Amino acid sequence: METPVQKVRFGTRGSLLARTQTRWVADRLQQLHPQIEVELVVIETTGDKQRDRPFTQVGTKGMFVKEIEEALLQGAIDVGIHSAKDLPSELPDGLSIICIPPREAANDVLIAREACSLEVLPKDSVIGTSSARRRAQLAYIRPDLRFVELRGNLDTRLRKLKEGQCDALILAYAGLHRLGAEWEGLITQILPKEVCLPAPGQGALAVEARADRADLMALFATLHCTDSACTLEAERSFQAALGGGCTVPMGASAYLDGDWVVLDAVVISPDGRQRLFDTHAGLRSRAREVGTTLARRMLEHGAKALIEEHP
């Protein structure tokens, strides 16, 4: 008979947000299984080591997960806790996503030095963001805006905002909400998805483990949210079918409507001048097919040209 799990070692990045998210998962696991001992193991990833370099120079594929996945394969940790949007479309052999906890809202938010909305930001305002997806979508709405590369932890970005290095930041709502009311109170506007469609997986957490750890799969099944997993599957399958390695900014966000899953997606040129938006729906039991179908249709209707034009 298999020995019950007595301790779970959680691999996490060292940022305040990553540790907060990992602690959130660990606390909920202990609420359901008080006998389980938990340990947080901080792992520095490539993305953390090279904070001063733009994402395009570092190479974004797996930059925040690679070292955690290596620790999983080596048996140094039992599970890795990731922001789902950081996970590449394909996982390394031997690893599996064993749990998707309940998801937060996926929207992006504006944090401005003076309380205002995107619509009333002064002309030529400077927006700090490291995301090509956010830059392109905001440029489509407000071509007068200027953008500066802004990486680092949340407190570092907020300090740069206060110092006047930019007029506003664009961040994910989910992270600020998980950090608590003090951080969430900094938000000056929650951006509608019609303005800035989120990245695939934004707002969701993913628990990754070795595929041969059936004991952990059974343990974390009590935390798994099937609704969140369904929307995430549609978004990730879209990303994979579109071509996860392309540098063209893209967003994808799914929601549930009864027995249906509805997926919205956008592919946009880096300068924001060319934008292709589409939506597709299907039975939630076929969420993966919803994503792949929409990606193929968008590739046929112009997304392929955008990707080939901006490799």
Side-chain angles (χ1 to χ4, degrees):
M1 187 173 69
E2 195 171 271
T3 303
V5 177
Q6 297 180 337
K7 179 179 179 178
V8 179
R9 296 165 298 168
F10 287 78
T12 177
R13 294 171 57 201
S15 70
L16 174 62
L17 177 57
R19 288 184 284 109
T20 299
Q21 292 179 158
T22 302
R23 175 52 63 184
W24 183 89
V25 176
D27 287 347
R28 274 145 190 79
L29 183 68
Q30 284 191 307
Q31 288 173 7
L32 294 169
H33 306 280
Q35 78 283 4
I36 297 292
E37 180 184 353
V38 302
E39 176 187 358
L40 267 61
V41 180
V42 175
I43 298 172
E44 190 176 30
T45 66
T46 299
D48 298 316
K49 296 173 184 175
Q50 303 186 41
R51 293 177 185 168
D52 296 330
R53 296 177 60 193
F55 282 152
T56 52
Q57 293 181 14
V58 179
T60 58
K61 189 174 182 180
M63 64 185 294
F64 290 120
V65 305
K66 181 175 179 288
E67 285 79 4
I68 293 176
E69 291 181 328
E70 289 174 350
L72 283 170
L73 291 170
Q74 293 166 4
I77 57 175
D78 299 304
V79 297
I81 307 300
H82 309 289
S83 293
K85 66 183 178 65
D86 292 336
L87 280 172
S89 300
E90 295 183 7
L91 301 181
D93 290 341
L95 297 182
S96 177
I97 296 175
I98 64 170
C99 172
I100 304 298
R103 188 175 190 173
E104 293 282 2
N107 300 67
D108 286 312
V109 300
L110 178 79
I111 299 180
R113 280 194 291 151
E114 297 183 9
C116 63
S117 65
L118 177 67
E119 293 76 13
V120 300
L121 274 175
K123 184 180 179 182
D124 296 325
S125 289
V126 178
I127 309 298
T129 177
S130 56
S131 166
R133 171 187 60 82
R134 289 167 176 157
R135 285 197 303 269
Q137 291 189 87
L138 295 191
Y140 178 78
I141 299 293
R142 290 282 308 270
D144 62 291
L145 295 176
R146 294 183 293 135
F147 300 91
V148 295
E149 182 82 19
L150 205 64
R151 291 196 53 201
N153 295 332
L154 285 176
D155 52 353
T156 301
R157 299 187 204 188
L158 290 169
R159 174 178 54 78
K160 292 180 179 179
L161 175 66
K162 291 178 181 178
E163 291 174 350
Q165 295 188 32
C166 58
D167 300 304
L169 302 174
I170 305 295
L171 301 171
Y173 168 81
L176 295 166
H177 179 68
R178 290 190 183 109
L179 285 171
E182 180 182 355
W183 294 82
E184 191 175 355
L186 299 171
I187 296 171
T188 51
Q189 183 187 17
I190 297 177
L191 298 177
K193 293 182 180 179
E194 294 79 11
V195 170
C196 195
L197 201 64
Q202 187 160 306
L205 298 177
V207 182
E208 188 178 27
R210 285 171 48 160
D212 59 3
R213 291 297 302 272
D215 55 343
L216 290 173
M217 293 180 190
L219 182 68
F220 277 88
T222 56
L223 273 180
H224 186 68
C225 176
T226 55
D227 287 353
S228 298
C230 178
T231 56
L232 181 61
E233 182 176 27
E235 294 165 12
R236 283 178 59 78
S237 64
F238 170 83
Q239 183 179 33
L242 188 74
C246 73
T247 58
V248 173
M250 52 81 68
S253 183
Y255 64 92
L256 298 177
D257 183 7
D259 291 333
W260 295 78
V261 57
V262 184
L263 178 64
D264 297 325
V266 66
V267 178
I268 190 165
S269 63
D271 60 12
R273 294 181 180 179
Q274 297 174 279
R275 179 180 182 271
L276 177 65
F277 176 88
D278 204 349
T279 187
H280 185 63
L283 290 173
R284 55 185 295 167
S285 59
R286 307 181 73 171
R288 182 180 298 274
E289 184 179 320
V290 169
T292 56
T293 298
L294 182 57
R296 289 167 185 162
R297 191 168 73 206
M298 291 183 72
L299 287 169
E300 293 171 357
H301 292 174
K304 184 176 181 180
L306 280 178
I307 292 171
E308 291 176 346
E309 182 180 352
H310 303 279

